[in-house]
């Protein structure tokens, strides 16, 4: 006996029992609805609260990152000034006034720096720029910045304090040690050339208003306050309080107490004086002991949560009233409902036992029904997916077409035997053939989508999957190459400036420069030349992927002869005392269908490597030829050079990977990476075999089926 038959006999009987059964039936419908309403309200309250906490703390992390980044930049600026050769030289000689001339423009050029000082290692002020005269000759070894920097002679950022110089305002000091530079050819008794002598201290003063400006940059609208405290709990900067002339002790504030206890987080705190509650996010700022607090009154912080509750309250009430109305309708139409239920049970049995996936979704794409066939094909049990979005089973690359088809179905159209991809619970992608149609209510309104899907993964040619993955990889490589090409171009301008100015400096001021300065200029020019080579190789690496391939019949032997001739003619690195001119053996008439320019680039890199790494041999020998193996024509470049350990063979095709030092064999480490990309663009493959005692052989295959 089913539930409808049970209630039908009792709901329409006479007497008190009928009323009791009607009440029981009504409660069976209404109580679950009320439970759902209560549960959804609690869930919405909890989720909204969690979202507010997450966003507030994320904002605190963003501001903390900004402060840490900019404060680190100021420390780096101070270290740069303290390490200037002239500053170090004059400080070491006790010529403080001359040393400051190389840095006194800093307060004028950088508006966020109020003043600076040069102090000896004992804390006595010798000179400065900006406001410093009141401290000239004063010993400030009792100051926080001196104790901090002299503890380990590392950069130090002080707490906020009232400075001695006029005007008397609060500042934060950035102190860095001035360390002696190593002198060429000068060694101590232990043979060390390290210039680690502490010569003095450079101090930069930063006004609190600078930090306040940083806090205001990311301050949202509303009653939100951001403030920054030092490691003692004193207020450094506040979005609403001016800390330039007055010091505020915030150490008793609850968020600050947690910061001083080395904690970070977000919580609701009550002001002990005003009794007002605030949502406060507190987070430590880097290595300087500072802390950041973002607070907002509880009422405004959770305004969106309150609005959501008031917005959905009428909906929930309407939902409950609707359940009452449905109950009344059911009681009036119990007989027809029973017949419909029996029919639906028969249909449900057929659907449930189908091998195909049969399921339905609402207009928001949430799953309504899910049969056993769907469980088998997609891997999800019914209870795992009902009420949840079907989109998680749709790959990102098919989302657009999936959405378009869904929109067409919502307009009344149907689709048949469409093929697409889906994602199973285990993450595996499958191909399905599906038919989808709109579901309509009694009034003809479209209320959802019904689908029948069949797994046809085994029927899909595996080459299609491989082609798709190859296309995605090529697209990714194209984006990476475009980035490399752009970066290489952007580096050329500054590099030419470095080379040009260093050349002008060496030529125009040669008589004024000592030997150390000339050595520095020489190193700069060598470094810029080295960078130029790297840029050229990066551009070449970019071009071999970016340029369009133009296939033709290419005679590799002719190209190899031209390259070998140019290498022998232009080489200036051979050991002529050994008379070790390289011998090239080039097999004639080796042809491939390929891009001629790319083939020339590829062969140049392989032959140039063989030429270079065989330069130390008594009789260098380089061979270019081909062999037949398993119906493949394998082309090779062999040499009897130094070779390498095959344990490192996986590294040689990676950009900038070198197995020999720059002094042994110059180069950028990009040549073989370029070779591999060229071979890859022709759908070929390359591999290396090497022996340190016998030399290296590079083998590659250009597929013969490549079409013109």
């Amino acid at each position: 006996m089913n539930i409808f038959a049970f209630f039908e006999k009792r709901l329409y009987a006479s007497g008190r029992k009928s009323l009791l059964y009607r009440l029981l039936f009504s409660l069976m419908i209404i109580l679950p609805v009320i439970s759902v309403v209560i549960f959804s309200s609690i869930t919405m309250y909890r989720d909204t609260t969690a979202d507010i906490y997450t966003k507030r703390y994320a904002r605190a992390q963003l501001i903390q990152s900004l402060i840490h980044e900019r404060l680190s930049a100021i420390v780096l600026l101070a270290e740069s000034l303290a390490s200037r050769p002239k500053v170090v030289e004059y400080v070491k000689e006790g010529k403080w006034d001359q040393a400051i001339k190389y840095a006194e423009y800093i307060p004028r050029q950088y508006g966020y720096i109020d003043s600076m000082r040069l102090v000896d290692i004992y804390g006595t002020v010798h000179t400065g720029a900006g406001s410093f005269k009141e401290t000239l000759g004063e010993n400030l070894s009792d100051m926080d910045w001196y104790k901090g920097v002299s503890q380990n002679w590392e950069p130090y950022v002080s707490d906020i304090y009232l400075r001695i110089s006029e005007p008397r305002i609060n500042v934060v000091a950035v102190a860095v040690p001035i360390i002696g530079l190593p002198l060429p050819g000068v060694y101590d008794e232990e043979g060390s050339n390290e210039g680690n002598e502490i010569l003095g201290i450079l101090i930069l003063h930063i006004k609190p208003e600078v930090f306040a400006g940083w806090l205001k940059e990311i301050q949202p609208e509303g009653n939100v306050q951001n403030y920054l405290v030092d490691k003692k709990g004193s207020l450094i900067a506040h979005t609403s309080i001016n800390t330039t002339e007055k010091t505020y002790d915030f150490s008793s504030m609850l968020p600050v107490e947690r910061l001083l206890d080395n904690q970070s987080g977000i919580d609701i705190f009550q002001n002990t004086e005003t009794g007002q509650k605030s949502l406060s996010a507190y987070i430590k700022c880097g290595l300087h002991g500072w802390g950041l607090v973002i607070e907002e009154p509880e009422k405004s912080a959770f305004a969106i949560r309150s609005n959501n509750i008031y917005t959905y309250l009428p909906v929930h009430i309407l939902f409950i009233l609707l359940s009452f109305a449905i109950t009344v309708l059911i009681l009036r139409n119990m007989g027809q409902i029973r017949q419909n239920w029996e029919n639906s049970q028969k249909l449900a049995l057929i659907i449930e036992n189908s091998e195909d996936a049969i399921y339905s979704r609402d207009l928001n794409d949430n799953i309504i029904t899910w049969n056993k066939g769907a469980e088998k094909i997609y891997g999800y049990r019914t209870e795992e997916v009902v009420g949840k979005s079907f989109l998680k089973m749709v790959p990102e690359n098919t989302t657009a077409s999936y959405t378009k088809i869904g929109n067409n179905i919502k307009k009344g159209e149907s689709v048949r035997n469409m093929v697409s991809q889906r994602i199973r619970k285990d993450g595996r992608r499958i191909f399905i053939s599906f038919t989808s149609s709109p579901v309509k209510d009694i009034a003809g309104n479209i209320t959802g989508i019904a689908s029948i899907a069949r797994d046809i993964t085994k029927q899909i040619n595996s080459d299609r999957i491989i082609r798709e993955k190859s296309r995605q990889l090529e697209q990714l490589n194209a984006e990476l190459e475009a980035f490399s090409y752009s970066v290489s171009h952007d580096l050329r301008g500054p590099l030419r400036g470095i080379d040009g100015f260093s050349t002008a400096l060496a030529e125009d001021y040669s008589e004024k420069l000592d030997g150390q300065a000339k050595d520095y200029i020489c190193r700069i020019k060598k470094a810029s030349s080295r960078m130029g080579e790297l840029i050229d190789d990066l551009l070449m690496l970019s071009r071999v992927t970016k340029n369009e391939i133009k296939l033709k019949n290419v005679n590799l032997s002719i190209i190899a002869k031209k390259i070998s001739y140019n290498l022998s003619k232009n080489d200036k690195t051979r050991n002529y005392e050994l008379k070790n001119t390289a011998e090239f053996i080039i097999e004639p008439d080796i042809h491939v269908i390929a891009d001629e320019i790319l083939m020339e680039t590829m062969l140049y890199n392989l032959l140039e490597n063989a030429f270079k790494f065989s330069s130390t041999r008594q009789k260098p020998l380089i061979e270019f030829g081909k062999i037949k193996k398993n119906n493949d024509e394998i082309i090779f470049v062999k040499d009897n050079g130094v070779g390498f350990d095959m344990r490192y063979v996986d590294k040689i095709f990676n950009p900038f990977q070198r197995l020999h030092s720059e002094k042994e064999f110059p180069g950028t480490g990009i040549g073989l990476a370029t070779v591999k990309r060229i071979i890859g663009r022709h759908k070929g493959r390359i591999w290396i075999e090497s022996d340190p005692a016998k030399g290296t052989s590079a083998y590659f295959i250009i597929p013969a089926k490549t079409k013109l």
Side-chain angles (χ1 to χ4, degrees), residues 285-493:
C285 290
L287 303 176
H288 306 296
W290 291 8
L292 170 69
V293 178
I294 300 178
E295 63 180 15
E296 183 178 2
E298 183 182 26
K299 184 176 181 180
S300 62
F302 293 100
I304 188 172
R305 184 180 67 186
S306 302
N307 291 337
N308 286 344
I309 293 175
Y310 292 133
T311 299
Y312 287 99
L313 182 60
V315 177
H316 291 160
I317 294 174
L318 182 62
F319 195 52
I320 294 173
L321 293 176
L322 184 62
S323 67
F324 276 102
I326 293 173
T327 303
V328 174
L329 290 174
I330 292 175
L331 290 173
R332 290 182 179 179
N333 300 279
M334 180 62 72
Q336 184 63 42
I337 292 174
R338 183 186 67 178
Q339 183 179 354
N340 294 341
W341 182 82
E342 289 177 349
N343 292 336
S344 67
Q345 284 294 100
K346 294 177 182 178
L347 180 60
L349 187 62
I350 296 173
I351 293 174
E352 187 65 20
N353 291 285
S354 173
E355 289 293 323
D356 292 333
I358 303 176
Y359 51 93
S360 62
R361 294 162 285 154
D362 60 23
L363 296 180
N364 293 321
D365 216 41
N366 296 318
I367 298 171
I368 301 174
T369 60
W370 192 258
N371 76 333
K372 290 182 179 179
E375 290 182 349
K376 181 179 179 180
I377 291 175
Y378 293 105
Y380 290 95
R381 298 193 306 275
T382 301
E383 59 270 23
E384 293 179 308
V385 295
V386 170
K388 298 181 180 179
S389 176
F390 187 79
L391 271 174
K392 66 180 179 181
M393 303 177 209
V394 179
E396 291 185 5
N397 61 315
T398 63
T399 301
S401 61
Y402 173 83
T403 303
K404 183 178 180 181
I405 292 172
N407 291 335
N408 292 337
I409 295 174
K410 292 174 185 178
K411 295 176 182 178
E413 300 178 11
S414 297
V415 295
R416 294 182 179 275
N417 300 322
M418 294 288 293
V419 176
S420 186
Q421 281 188 305
R422 296 291 182 261
I423 301 175
R424 284 175 46 87
K425 180 182 178 180
D426 57 13
R428 182 165 57 89
R429 292 195 177 195
I430 60 174
F431 285 91
I432 63 162
S433 173
F434 68 94
T435 296
S436 295
S437 302
V439 176
K440 299 180 180 180
D441 60 16
I442 194 170
N445 299 315
I446 297 175
T447 59
I449 302 173
S451 300
I452 301 176
R454 178 171 295 177
D455 185 356
I456 59 169
T457 304
K458 294 181 180 179
Q459 302 172 27
I460 299 296
N461 193 323
S462 60
D463 289 342
R464 180 178 176 183
I465 301 175
I466 296 173
R467 286 196 301 270
E468 176 62 18
K469 290 184 178 180
S470 298
R471 185 194 65 79
Q472 295 175 0
L473 182 60
E474 289 173 1
Q475 181 179 355
L476 178 60
N477 284 334
E479 293 172 356
L480 291 174
E481 294 305 325
F483 172 78
S484 176
Y485 185 85
S486 175
V487 169
S488 299
H489 268 287
D490 292 343
L491 289 174
R492 281 192 173 278

Side-chain angles (χ1 to χ4, degrees), residues 116-129:
M116 63 184 297
R117 289 155 176 69
L118 290 181
V119 182
D120 64 25
I121 60 175
Y122 303 106
T124 301
V125 179
H126 286 271
T127 186

Side-chain angles (χ1 to χ4, degrees), residues 125 181 207 217 325 329 399 401 523 562 564 637 644 680:
V125 179
L181 297 175
K207 291 182 179 180
E217 286 185 20
L329 290 174
T399 301
S401 61
R523 293 186 184 185
K562 180 175 69 173
S564 64
V637 175
F644 60 87

